[in-house]
Amino acid sequence: QVRLVESGGGSVQAGTSLRLSCAVTGYTPASGCLGWFRQAPGREREPIATILDSGTTFVDVFVKGRFTISRDNFSTVYLQILSANPSDSAMWYCAAAPRPGGSCLVASSYAYWGQGTQVIVSS
């Protein structure tokens, strides 16, 4: 069973850079992907970035520019957020798709989710 545990969230001032981490266990790499999503209150879960098992990364076109996804083998996935702003205030989730049914930038492709880490950015 895949297990994901996020960390690194908190309350920060606008302009701060932060790094979210996701500890991954039980994931067997083959042709899947790991991704980061965020969900603000009253809004749908929004894709941010994904890293394929091959190492290729993609950042969603609507948020491109401030986010970098990386991983440490397949045990930890990171999301670097540059210059956080109030629109980044959300619950941030890590997800795993060992056999994605579609795009790795779509939430429905992911079978496993962490509990999330809260980020609050004040101006």
Side-chain angles (χ1 to χ4, degrees):
Q1 184 77 352
V2 179
R3 187 165 180 256
L4 305 142
V5 180
E6 303 94 335
S7 62
S11 295
V12 299
Q13 292 287 319
T16 301
S17 294
L18 64 160
R19 187 174 75 164
L20 305 182
S21 300
C22 174
V24 183
T25 56
Y27 182 80
T28 301
S31 57
C33 49
L34 299 164
W36 280 98
F37 293 75
R38 71 183 178 192
Q39 188 167 20
R43 300 190 65 175
E44 292 189 359
R45 197 161 294 191
E46 176 184 21
I48 301 299
T50 184
I51 183 164
L52 309 186
D53 288 354
S54 65
T56 302
T57 63
F58 297 97
V59 178
D60 190 271
V61 62
F62 293 105
V63 299
K64 211 163 189 175
R66 296 188 298 112
F67 303 96
T68 304
I69 189 171
S70 61
R71 67 167 186 243
D72 178 7
N73 292 320
F74 290 92
S75 61
T76 309
V77 183
Y78 303 98
L79 183 72
Q80 183 75 38
I81 304 173
L82 294 178
S83 190
N85 61 59
S87 69
D88 296 323
S89 297
M91 187 69 80
W92 290 72
Y93 296 94
C94 176
R99 289 174 293 279
S103 167
C104 287
L105 282 174
V106 173
S108 60
S109 294
Y110 289 80
Y112 302 95
W113 293 84
Q115 293 299 306
T117 185
Q118 183 81 47
V119 174
I120 299 172
V121 184
S122 56
S123 57

